Amino acid sequence: MERIRASRRASWSPSRQTLILASVAGGWFFTFGLRFALPGILPTITASFPDATETQAGIAVTVLWASYGIMQFPAGIAADRIGERRVLVASLVLAALGLFAFSFTPTFSLFVVATGTFGAATGLYGPPRGTLLTRTFPKHADRALGITLALGSIGAAALPAIAAVLVAGLGWRATLGLAIPGFLLASIGVYVAVGAKQTDGGKGANQSAVEQGQDREGPSIASVLVSAGRAITNRQTALAILAAIVMYFGFQGITALLTTYLVTEKGFTQPDAGLLFGLLFLVGALTQWLAGRFADRRRSARVLAAIAFVSVFPLLGLVAFDSRLLVAASTVTIGIRMGFAPVSNAFIIDLLPDDVAGTAWGGVRTALFVVSAFGSTFVGVLAAEDYFDEAILLLALFTAGAAVLYLALPTCCPRTFLADCLDRGS
């Protein structure tokens, strides 16, 4: 990362840093993986409710992701107010309770309510995860976030596949229930690894001011919201956020109906399409890890621009190729797009003021995921009108636009790069 604030430097030992990374990444493995496992066994779930329709099933998935996105902003505020550890632990425990709630869903309407509860609980995890790891690894935030998101992608590849195998014999409620111990163990891991030295007790980023007897009650929520709003509307941050929204929109749009496209437009069988979908996430996991490591040694804005540019070609290949091998290659390399997430997260968080980082980042994530949730609707509407190929080509065009936005960032300009080099040499 180009710039790390001295106030974000943590005093944790390397062993404690490793424990924090392992526990937070483990929690993300279950949080991210289960959000894809649930839609993965949705046909079996809807079949258990005789009156459920495909439209209602689609509403359930929308509720899952919408509730996840909406909770990002309050999660950021809570992280600033009571500390990341408490919010992370609460997210994991509430997610376990959400899975348990599926046992008490005799009607599909109650199933949708339980789905929203689970989505909201997992939505609490993202903002404190990002700010905690950024402060814990001030010099290697890209790498730490890359490892964490990569493990989540592995979960998204593995857990749906495991659920698909188990659901036939155990039923969907018991299958989902098997993940409850994983969430609880992850919550214990986070609680122990981070420890009380973290910003619990409402200390947050205002720790030094409190210790000096200044503003013991902390700033008002209104003033925090104003500061956060200013932080995300300066040119550099706004460009980075807009580019991230475009990238997330494209990812949601292509992955939501990718297996349908492969089956209906390219002639793949459902099992083969599912296999390629899983491989996409494995490629994404590898790319996230590599992108995080590479961004540690290169300028993040240029890494983001490169990932966005490369991500255009798999979408073009998906439409242009007729060869099953080339279509398969295009499908799995869509996962390269996922490499932008850890670098983008660390880049944006580093631009935010310390005292409102959680609040501002939570607001940014709400915008990212609520807007991107419409990506699937965008593709679905065009596909219903027999414009499936055109929808994917438009996503490719949007992705190219994101690459241009990243190139427009001041930190990606040659003049700024030269200035930085001269400054480092002085």
Side-chain angles (χ1 to χ4, degrees), residues 78-83 86 199-207 210 216-218:
D80 279 341
R81 288 281 167 174
I82 65 175
R86 289 180 175 177
T199 58
D200 285 349
K203 296 176 183 178
N206 301 301
Q207 172 74 12
V210 172
R216 290 184 180 274
E217 295 182 357

Side-chain angles (χ1 to χ4, degrees), residues 28-45 64-65 99 118 150-168 170-172 175-176 178-179 183 251 255 259 270-271 273-282 338:
W28 188 242
F29 173 89
F30 289 101
T31 297
F32 193 69
L34 260 293
R35 286 209 314 276
F36 283 93
L38 189 59
I41 59 173
L42 195 58
T44 302
I45 294 173
L64 174 67
W65 285 98
L99 291 177
F118 177 74
L151 193 58
S153 297
I154 292 173
L159 295 184
I162 294 172
V165 172
L166 297 178
V167 71
L170 298 178
W172 66 269
T175 298
L176 293 176
L178 290 177
F183 278 97
F251 181 75
T255 55
T259 55
Q270 182 67 57
L275 175 62
L276 292 175
F277 191 68
L279 291 175
L280 182 157
F281 282 97
L282 291 180
M338 299 175 68

Side-chain angles (χ1 to χ4, degrees), residues 122-149:
T122 58
L124 292 171
Y125 202 85
R129 176 209 65 197
T131 54
L132 173 62
L133 291 179
T134 300
R135 290 189 304 101
T136 304
F137 298 90
K139 294 183 178 180
H140 303 288
D142 297 289
R143 184 180 303 182
L145 286 167
I147 293 172
T148 301
L149 296 186

Side-chain angles (χ1 to χ4, degrees), residues 290-341:
L290 290 174
R293 292 182 63 87
F294 194 77
D296 274 344
R297 298 186 294 272
R298 300 291 187 273
R299 299 176 61 75
S300 296
R302 293 185 175 187
V303 174
L304 289 167
I307 292 173
F309 178 73
V310 172
S311 297
V312 173
F313 296 99
L315 297 176
L316 296 178
L318 197 62
V319 174
F321 295 135
D322 292 322
S323 166
R324 290 171 62 87
L325 180 60
L326 293 177
V327 171
S330 298
T331 300
V332 298
T333 52
I334 290 173
I336 294 173
R337 187 189 200 94
M338 299 175 68
F340 96 96

Side-chain angles (χ1 to χ4, degrees), residues 11-384:
S11 58
W12 286 294
S13 66
S15 60
R16 176 57 66 86
Q17 287 178 319
T18 301
L19 287 175
I20 291 173
L21 177 60
S23 63
V24 172
W28 188 242
F29 173 89
F30 289 101
T31 297
F32 193 69
L34 260 293
R35 286 209 314 276
F36 283 93
L38 189 59
I41 59 173
L42 195 58
T44 302
I45 294 173
T46 54
S48 67
F49 298 101
D51 297 330
T53 65
E54 291 184 356
T55 299
Q56 290 173 321
I59 291 173
V61 177
T62 299
V63 168
L64 174 67
W65 285 98
S67 59
Y68 172 81
I70 290 170
M71 289 304 295
Q72 303 294 304
F73 187 43
I77 295 176
D80 279 341
R81 288 281 167 174
I82 65 175
E84 289 113 334
R85 181 178 73 159
R86 289 180 175 177
V87 182
L88 290 171
V89 171
S91 174
L92 294 168
V93 172
L94 290 174
L97 292 175
L99 291 177
F100 184 69
F102 285 118
S103 301
F104 304 96
T105 53
T107 66
F108 193 78
S109 296
L110 289 177
F111 167 76
V112 174
V113 172
T115 300
T117 301
F118 177 74
T122 58
L124 292 171
Y125 202 85
R129 176 209 65 197
T131 54
L132 173 62
L133 291 179
T134 300
R135 290 189 304 101
T136 304
F137 298 90
K139 294 183 178 180
H140 303 288
D142 297 289
R143 184 180 303 182
L145 286 167
I147 293 172
T148 301
L149 296 186
L151 193 58
S153 297
I154 292 173
L159 295 184
I162 294 172
V165 172
L166 297 178
V167 71
L170 298 178
W172 66 269
R173 289 183 176 88
T175 298
L176 293 176
L178 290 177
I180 293 176
F183 278 97
L184 295 178
L185 287 174
S187 69
I188 295 172
V190 171
Y191 185 84
V192 173
V194 179
K197 190 175 182 179
Q198 221 285 99
T199 58
D200 285 349
K203 296 176 183 178
N206 301 301
Q207 172 74 12
S208 60
V210 172
E211 289 176 348
Q212 296 171 15
Q214 303 170 2
D215 195 13
R216 290 184 180 274
E217 295 182 357
S220 66
I221 292 180
S223 64
V224 169
L225 293 178
V226 171
S227 298
R230 291 173 179 169
I232 64 178
T233 53
N234 73 71
R235 179 176 181 270
Q236 186 169 2
T237 309
L239 282 175
I241 293 171
L242 179 59
I245 288 175
V246 174
M247 292 294 287
Y248 274 116
F249 182 91
F251 181 75
Q252 183 68 19
I254 190 60
T255 55
L257 296 172
L258 181 57
T259 55
T260 301
Y261 179 80
L262 292 175
V263 172
T264 61
E265 305 295 325
K266 296 298 182 178
F268 285 79
T269 64
Q270 182 67 57
D272 287 344
L275 175 62
L276 292 175
F277 191 68
L279 291 175
L280 182 157
F281 282 97
L282 291 180
V283 171
L286 177 62
T287 306
Q288 286 171 330
W289 176 68
L290 290 174
R293 292 182 63 87
F294 194 77
D296 274 344
R297 298 186 294 272
R298 300 291 187 273
R299 299 176 61 75
S300 296
R302 293 185 175 187
V303 174
L304 289 167
I307 292 173
F309 178 73
V310 172
S311 297
V312 173
F313 296 99
L315 297 176
L316 296 178
L318 197 62
V319 174
F321 295 135
D322 292 322
S323 166
R324 290 171 62 87
L325 180 60
L326 293 177
V327 171
S330 298
T331 300
V332 298
T333 52
I334 290 173
I336 294 173
R337 187 189 200 94
M338 299 175 68
F340 96 96
V343 184
S344 174
N345 290 356
F347 183 87
I348 295 174
I349 291 172
D350 189 50
L351 295 174
L352 303 176
D354 291 342
D355 56 342
V356 294
T359 300
W361 181 228
V364 169
R365 285 179 62 84
T366 289
L368 291 178
F369 290 106
V370 171
V371 174
S372 66
F374 288 95
S376 55
T377 302
F378 170 80
V379 174
V381 169
L382 290 177

